[in-house]
Amino acid sequence: QQQVKQSPQSLIVQKGGISIINCAYENTAFDYFPWYQQFPGKGPALLIAIRPDVSEKKEGRFTISFNKSAKQFSLHIMDSQPGDSATYFCAASPSNFGNEKLTFGTGTRLTIIP
Amino acid sequence: DAGVIQSPRHEVTEMGQEVTLRCKPISGHDYLFWYRQTMMRGLELLIYFNNNVPIDDSGMPEDRFSAKMPNASFSTLKIQPSEPRDSAVYFCASSSSGLQSSYEQYFGPGTRLTVT
């Protein structure tokens, strides 16, 4: 299975700061890149997603930056809040499969401290 | 809608026993996915169905695992016989390929399986 490499494994950010999580992929056929957020005891939930026809997508405090040539994408959380403390997963899927063949990164446990 | 429903939420069983996990997808969704989550391997896709037909089971670890979807509103994942290394959280997810769909996968709350 094609890999999606995610870093860091864990991240501690002060309230109000910027949280940055990075992912890199190998398969050039990937063209759908979602980020999922998971709270303890819950299933993952879609947070934001991007396709490679744009280099950035912003939804509220959450921004995906995408670098097609480097095969990298990242999640930025601006003005991080304690309620953002969760595990974040990047994922990728080839275009001809829609989102059926999602390959997930290994996850980043984010903790926002007061 | 109630979202994806999974049962049981927790299951503790002894090695060698049969385990059946159940999933009810969101009404109207035509895709159903089974995932396994462990600390070591993260989130792994086991199998997915489209319109009740299994499309890709390449992620099923071995013959001890089987999945069925007898109708659009119900799916099962069975492990027989279970082994301690099967201990994990199993998620079911569903999505829609309709014209207005975003292809978002909606995950259930998961079943935490412990095999002793």
Side-chain angles (χ1 to χ4, degrees):
Chain A
Q1 193 172 23
Q2 298 289 338
Q3 278 189 315
V4 176
K5 296 181 181 178
Q6 183 172 348
S7 63
Q9 190 172 11
S10 62
L11 180 63
I12 299 174
V13 175
Q14 204 145 22
K15 179 183 174 182
I18 303 174
S19 305
I20 302 174
I21 304 170
N22 300 299
C23 284
Y25 63 96
E26 300 169 354
N27 187 349
T28 54
F30 286 156
D31 83 337
Y32 172 70
F33 303 91
W35 284 88
Y36 278 77
Q37 179 188 55
Q38 184 180 26
F39 293 105
K42 306 289 186 183
L46 179 66
L47 184 63
I48 186 173
I50 195 169
R51 293 194 182 271
D53 51 343
V54 295
S55 60
E56 185 175 283
K57 183 174 182 179
K58 184 176 182 179
E59 290 184 2
R61 296 184 294 108
F62 302 90
T63 300
I64 300 179
S65 297
F66 184 81
N67 186 330
K68 187 173 181 177
S69 60
K71 293 187 286 187
Q72 295 175 346
F73 59 108
S74 60
L75 176 69
H76 296 237
I77 306 175
M78 311 299 288
D79 187 25
S80 300
Q81 298 297 312
D84 297 330
S85 297
T87 299
Y88 293 81
F89 295 91
C90 62
S93 174
S95 58
N96 55 326
F97 287 101
N99 76 337
E100 298 148 39
K101 294 284 287 186
L102 277 176
T103 299
F104 282 88
T106 50
T108 296
R109 179 172 290 185
L110 174 65
T111 303
I112 307 301
I113 56 175
Chain B
D1 199 313
V4 175
I5 298 172
Q6 291 187 247
S7 65
R9 293 294 312 277
H10 302 273
E11 177 79 41
V12 180
T13 190
E14 292 184 348
M15 182 173 64
Q17 296 298 305
E18 177 179 296
V19 175
T20 299
L21 311 181
R22 297 172 176 80
C23 175
K24 176 178 168 56
I26 293 173
S27 177
H29 281 188
D30 55 341
Y31 281 92
L32 184 139
F33 307 83
W34 282 101
Y35 289 90
R36 178 172 66 176
Q37 185 175 40
T38 61
M39 289 296 295
M40 290 296 294
R41 300 176 67 87
L43 261 171
E44 302 174 278
L45 176 64
L46 300 178
I47 184 172
Y48 75 93
F49 296 82
N50 179 219
N51 292 323
N52 313 337
V53 176
I55 302 300
D56 187 337
D57 66 354
S58 59
M60 296 285 260
E62 50 198 271
D63 291 346
R64 298 184 297 107
F65 286 69
S66 62
K68 294 181 180 179
M69 193 165 185
N71 57 63
S73 60
F74 183 66
S75 177
T76 60
L77 178 67
K78 185 177 294 186
I79 308 173
Q80 165 64 17
S82 58
E83 296 182 3
R85 60 191 168 120
D86 300 331
S87 298
V89 180
Y90 291 81
F91 288 102
C92 175
S94 69
S95 69
S96 171
S97 62
L99 286 176
Q100 302 301 320
S101 167
S102 63
Y103 293 99
E104 175 179 354
Q105 291 189 18
Y106 294 81
F107 283 75
T111 295
R112 182 174 294 277
L113 173 64
T114 303
V115 183
T116 61

